[in-house]
């Protein structure tokens, strides 16, 4: 099955900072998904990527589909307190719609 | 808007008790999933269902069973709860397997087994 390595595991950042996290796969993907989980809630899809090299933004969040098709990056610019949460990457769904998730990156924003 | 609801946000049970976690979705989705979430381990799939009365094991099915008697409802059952099943449990649903379909998650149930 898919093996996803997501890093870093956690990051403590100051408000206003830019942050970056990444995910690598042991296999080639045709889709990368990035989810965010707010404290006490379920994950919500932020960005979906479908083509190698694709760069997609959602507000201050930008995600890139790596050209090797084995990695993806998520950047948060000018972080604010509501960026706190856990960010998960995921690969393409299988024939059952199942997703394999990375272990998550916990983001803590300090004023 | 898609809505996935879970019966409880917080639950405290004793070792050996039978525990039912309920999940309901309102979008007529075929596929439903149960995950558990533990720090540093991400989301691990317990069971999923692709149709009424159909179920498949995920990555960590031991100690759990599921029931899907109606399309909108997917239940996770802990036959005899143990302390190592203390965790956050998340339910999700999706309409199908095409790459543009995302999984929609419920808010989670934080289960503590004493």
């Amino acid at each position: 099955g898919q093996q996803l390595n997501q890093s870093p595991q956690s990051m403590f950042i100051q408000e206003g900072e830019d942050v970056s996290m990444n995910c690598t796969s042991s296999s080639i993907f045709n889709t990368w998904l990035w989810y965010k989980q707010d404290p006490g809630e379920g994950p919500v899809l932020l960005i979906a990527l479908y083509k190698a090299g694709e760069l997609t933004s959602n507000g201050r969040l930008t995600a890139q589909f790596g050209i090797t098709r084995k990695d993806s990056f998520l950047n948060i610019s000018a972080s604010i307190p509501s960026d706190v949460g856990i960010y998960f990457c995921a690969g393409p769904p299988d024939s059952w719609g199942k997703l394999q998730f990375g272990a998550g990156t916990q983001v803590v924003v300090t004023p | 808007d898609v809505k996935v609801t879970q019966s409880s946000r917080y639950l405290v049970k004793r070792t050996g008790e039978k525990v039912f976690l309920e999940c309901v979705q309102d979008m007529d989705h075929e596929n439903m999933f149960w995950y558990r979430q533990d720090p540093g381990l991400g989301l691990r799939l317990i069971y999923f269902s692709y149709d009424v009365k159909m179920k498949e094991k995920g990555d960590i099915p031991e100690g759990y069973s599921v029931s899907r008697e109606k399309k909108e409802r997917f239940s996770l059952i802990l036959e005899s709860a143990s302390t190592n099943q203390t965790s956050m449990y998340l339910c999700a649903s999706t309409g199908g397997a095409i790459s543009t379909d995302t999984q929609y998650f419920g808010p989670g149930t934080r289960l503590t087994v004493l």
Side-chain angles (χ1 to χ4, degrees):
Chain A
Q2 301 165 3
Q3 298 289 325
L4 294 183
N5 290 307
Q6 186 173 351
S7 65
Q9 189 173 0
S10 61
M11 51 173 64
F12 293 80
I13 56 176
Q14 281 207 307
E15 193 172 347
E17 274 188 49
D18 297 346
V19 300
S20 186
M21 61 196 80
N22 71 82
C23 211
T24 59
S25 163
S26 57
S27 30
I28 289 174
F29 282 176
N30 58 18
T31 301
W32 279 100
L33 304 171
W34 284 94
Y35 282 79
K36 184 197 175 191
Q37 183 180 28
D38 287 326
E41 300 296 330
V44 173
L45 181 68
L46 291 174
I47 294 176
L49 302 162
Y50 300 111
K51 211 163 92 169
E54 183 180 351
L55 196 69
T56 297
S57 292
N58 179 357
R60 291 174 297 102
L61 276 64
T62 301
Q64 184 163 22
F65 195 140
I67 55 172
T68 66
R69 296 172 62 192
K70 287 188 172 186
D71 57 5
S72 180
F73 308 87
L74 178 70
N75 298 308
I76 307 172
S77 62
S79 56
I80 59 177
S82 61
D83 290 332
V84 69
I86 305 176
Y87 293 78
F88 292 99
C89 62
D94 69 6
S95 56
W96 299 114
K98 284 192 300 170
L99 293 174
Q100 194 77 23
F101 289 89
T105 295
Q106 170 113 45
V107 172
V108 177
V109 180
T110 56
Chain B
D1 266 358
V2 176
K3 197 134 180 131
V4 180
T5 56
Q6 294 183 229
S7 49
S8 307
R9 295 297 295 264
Y10 299 93
L11 213 50
V12 179
K13 295 291 181 181
R14 297 210 172 271
T15 301
E17 278 193 75
K18 190 167 185 175
V19 182
F20 293 86
L21 304 182
E22 305 284 340
C23 175
V24 178
Q25 50 92 5
D26 66 359
M27 282 304 291
D28 203 36
H29 281 168
E30 272 95 36
N31 303 335
M32 297 186 74
F33 307 83
W34 274 107
Y35 296 89
R36 66 176 280 175
Q37 180 180 14
D38 300 289
L41 297 178
L43 304 174
R44 294 182 292 166
L45 183 65
I46 304 171
Y47 267 97
F48 69 100
S49 167
Y50 54 90
D51 202 349
V52 174
K53 297 195 187 295
M54 307 305 287
K55 61 186 179 186
E56 292 286 338
K57 292 180 180 178
D59 300 317
I60 50 164
E62 296 78 21
Y64 304 94
S65 62
V66 289
S67 170
R68 190 149 180 221
E69 296 297 317
K70 293 186 178 181
K71 191 174 186 180
E72 67 271 18
R73 188 179 297 269
F74 191 34
S75 303
L76 180 69
I77 303 154
L78 287 66
E79 295 288 342
S80 177
S82 63
T83 54
N84 63 13
Q85 291 178 310
T86 291
S87 187
M88 168 74 97
Y89 290 89
L90 290 161
C91 173
S93 73
T94 185
I98 61 174
S99 61
T100 53
D101 282 347
T102 183
Q103 286 192 13
Y104 295 89
F105 284 84
T109 296
R110 186 163 293 283
L111 172 67
T112 302
V113 183
L114 302 175

